[in-house]
Amino acid sequence: MINIYNEINALEATFRTTPEFEELKEAVTAVKQDEEALNLFKSFRKVQIDLQKKQLTGEDILEDELVYAQKTAQLAQQNAKISAMLEAEMKLSKIIEEVNRILIKPIQALYEEF
């Protein structure tokens, strides 16, 4: 009997060896080593998380919060190291999306029979 978790763990190990993962790893290291970039990214992430929490709880997001979030995102994207990190993350996300698409094929096939 195949243990799917063994297979998934093997896939995870392979995932870590992809050029896209290595690129992201290097980009994250570059941001962590630059105090200005790191602080800017931490601020950007905090704003994102706070807005997501509000959305999940159904709270209204105030216009000044949106403006602040947009300004923070703009500042983060203007930083070359953060921008490179986000670009590397998007490349890696494409692989994850493709793996997910492949994994759900059997489920989709089941429903196509209806």
Side-chain angles (χ1 to χ4, degrees):
M1 182 170 159
I2 295 177
N3 181 341
I4 194 167
Y5 296 104
N6 290 340
E7 300 294 324
I8 294 296
N9 286 327
L11 178 60
E12 185 258 349
T14 301
F15 181 73
R16 289 176 181 266
T17 65
T18 64
E20 293 84 357
F21 184 83
E22 284 298 320
E23 182 181 346
L24 178 59
K25 189 173 160 182
E26 290 171 12
V28 167
T29 299
V31 169
K32 286 180 178 179
Q33 291 175 344
D34 181 324
E35 188 176 344
E36 180 184 338
L38 180 61
N39 288 333
L40 187 55
F41 185 70
K42 284 180 178 180
S43 177
F44 171 65
R45 287 286 295 147
K46 183 182 179 330
V47 169
Q48 279 185 319
I49 291 168
D50 290 346
L51 290 180
Q52 286 174 350
K53 284 180 184 176
K54 280 192 156 197
Q55 284 180 327
L56 290 173
T57 59
E59 285 184 61
D60 289 335
I61 297 173
L62 305 174
E63 188 167 334
D64 63 329
E65 290 173 313
L66 284 175
V67 169
Y68 180 72
Q70 290 171 340
K71 286 181 182 178
T72 304
Q74 268 183 331
L75 284 173
Q77 290 171 348
Q78 289 173 355
N79 182 289
K81 291 178 182 173
I82 294 173
S83 182
M85 183 179 69
L86 295 175
E87 187 176 314
E89 183 180 329
M90 286 189 329
K91 289 178 188 176
L92 196 58
S93 290
K94 288 180 182 179
I95 293 174
I96 293 168
E97 288 172 18
E98 180 67 15
V99 168
N100 189 49
R101 188 182 63 73
I102 293 167
L103 286 173
I104 63 169
K105 273 184 180 180
I107 298 167
Q108 289 174 330
L110 289 173
Y111 286 105
E112 287 174 0
E113 295 175 2
F114 285 108

